Structures are given as structure tokens and as C-alpha cells.
Amino acid sequence: AGHDFPVVLALSVFGSFISYIYSAPPLKLKQNGWAGNYALGASYISLPWWCGQAVFGELDRPVFWILPILYSIAGLGIAIVNDFKSIEGDRAMGLNSLPVAFGIDGAKYICAASVTLTQLGVAGYLYTIGETTYTAILMALILPQIYFQATLLIPDPVKNDVKYQASSQPFFVFGILATALCLGHHDFADLA
């Protein structure tokens, strides 16, 4: 990518380290629902975003670091959905997943809130930099996610986990894509 520093290599090494400490002692991030799920969210969202930005541009603005980190909070919420079916096994293995820590009812609201509030925050940021079209696109992609939370996740997250993910996640991914396209096309010189 023409960088003086091997950014993609450094991100790859960092990602490998995160994947190792996710499962390996002494840290074993998956023992803690917050740390483990955030590590998953960051691995699925932040690391690929940063690598793509490094390959096709520069990681030269705080926003290129901050928005993926925020989206990883939403990724934490998505990871919680995978923990609902394994609550008994997690409890038996001593894994303090969020459904174990907060119960199914508490965890489903943490899941929904982290996904929705993060995206609303990102939409608010896009609005503040004058990207009203992308803000509207992101808001339009958030609405079906809220609908699927209300009709699938909240009523029964154990029974509806796969159906919820299959219904809601495409809108989430398109929201990430819309945000990335917005940042790629935005003239940050206007803000200087």
C-alpha cells in the first residue's frame, strides 16, 4: 500500500494476538462476556475495516479508528445472540457470558441496545459532518433491525436467534458499508 510502516502486517499480528487471548489462558477473554464479545466484534468489524482502509488509503484521521471501534460495540451485541443457546454450557464451564451474567432477559436488551444505539450514534456523527444522504440511508437500514429486534429477538432470543440474525444482520452490514462509503467519499478538508 506504499506505507512507511507495515500497517497491514501490524494489524494482522494484533488480530492474531486477539484471537489467541480470546481462548488461551491466562486472559481467556471469552470467560468474560463483555471482553470476549467485544473482542469478537472488533475482530469482525474493526480489524477488517482498518486493513481495508490501510490498503486503499491511509489511517490518518481519528474517525477511521473511532467509527470501527464504535461499530465493534454493535458487534458485541451481535455476538451476544450466539450466547443465548449455550447459556447452560457456559454456566457449567465457568464462562461468564452476558446471558449467564444478566440472564436471558437482561442480555437481550443489552444486545438490542448496543446494536441500535451504536448505529444511531454513527448516524448522528454523519449528520454533523453534513452527510445527510448517508445519514438517511443509515437510518433507513436501522429501522428494519429495530423491527426484527421487536418481533424476533425480544420475544424469544433462544428460539429466534438464527432467524433474527438472518433477518437483521444484512441491514447492519449494509449500514457499515454505507458508513465506509460515506467516509471514503467525504471531503474532510471542509472540516479543517
Side-chain angles (χ1 to χ4, degrees), residues 3-29:
H3 300 286
D4 294 332
F5 180 79
V7 178
V8 176
L9 175 63
L11 289 168
S12 299
V13 169
F14 178 69
S16 296
F17 174 71
I18 294 297
S19 69
Y20 177 76
I21 66 171
Y22 177 76
S23 295
L27 295 179
K28 201 170 186 178
L29 297 177

Side-chain angles (χ1 to χ4, degrees), residues 25-73:
L27 295 179
K28 201 170 186 178
L29 297 177
K30 71 179 181 180
Q31 287 181 316
N32 177 292
W34 294 107
N37 286 348
Y38 188 79
L40 285 175
S43 296
Y44 292 139
I45 298 169
S46 292
L47 289 170
W49 190 326
W50 293 332
C51 284
Q53 181 66 34
V55 169
F56 296 106
E58 298 284 336
L59 285 164
D60 58 351
R61 297 190 173 277
V63 70
F64 296 146
W65 294 94
I66 294 168
L67 286 185
I69 289 170
L70 289 176
Y71 263 114
S72 294
I73 295 169

